[in-house]
Amino acid sequence: VDDIEQVFEEEQLALYKLGTPLETTWQGNDVDVQFQALDMGEIPHLFDDDLNTFIRSAAANPLLLQFTFLEDITVENVLVYIGGAPTNLIVQAYDADGNLIEEISQSYPGVPDPREVSLSFSAPLQATALHFSIENGDEGQPSHVHVWEIGLSD
């Protein structure tokens, strides 16, 4: 095939592209979720309170998850159950006009087992969208990012 390199490049780029929003419910809120290709699990596994279910990115590192709520939510604390790899976590909160309200981030060292980590905004805030970037810090691309649960509290 004459253009095989281009075909491979397009296939690779497709793994990192955010897909069509999935409509679901999260903690009682209607939300549209955009995410990159997964090769294990389904988005509702992030909200099922079951540590036997998870999602895994097909290749994207970082894994990007974008949540857009139909109505503003109040959030202060974010809980994420992640794998044991060294992890860089970024969470961004946006208002209804698409303006960044606040960004929080933390790096976590590698540990033998998956674990729950938490981040807190400076105060409770009203947000229309939350964007998550979850990166296996020492693996580069491509890589499989595992996430078991995501939760919010105010």
Side-chain angles (χ1 to χ4, degrees), residues 3 9 15 24-25 27 31 55-57 64-65 67 83 86 103 114 127-128 132 134 140 142 147:
D3 60 351
E9 184 177 327
L15 294 173
T24 189
T25 302
Q27 293 185 208
V31 62
I55 65 168
R56 183 176 88 168
S57 65
L64 304 177
L65 301 166
F67 299 87
E103 177 179 294
T128 300
F132 289 75
I134 306 165
V147 183

Side-chain angles (χ1 to χ4, degrees), residues 77-104:
N77 303 300
V78 178
L79 304 172
V80 184
Y81 206 94
I82 57 174
T87 302
N88 301 316
L89 176 60
I90 300 170
V91 183
Q92 298 170 317
Y94 291 87
D95 66 17
D97 295 323
N99 298 310
L100 178 65
I101 302 168
E102 187 174 347
E103 177 179 294
I104 51 178

Side-chain angles (χ1 to χ4, degrees), residues 59-122:
N61 185 32
L63 171 62
L64 304 177
L65 301 166
Q66 296 184 355
F67 299 87
T68 303
F69 299 91
L70 299 185
E71 296 182 18
D72 282 1
I73 61 162
T74 301
V75 61
E76 182 175 12
N77 303 300
V78 178
L79 304 172
V80 184
Y81 206 94
I82 57 174
T87 302
N88 301 316
L89 176 60
I90 300 170
V91 183
Q92 298 170 317
Y94 291 87
D95 66 17
D97 295 323
N99 298 310
L100 178 65
I101 302 168
E102 187 174 347
E103 177 179 294
I104 51 178
S105 63
Q106 181 70 44
S107 294
Y108 302 92
V111 295
D113 297 311
R115 75 284 193 167
E116 183 178 84
V117 298
S118 64
L119 291 170
S120 296
F121 290 103
S122 57

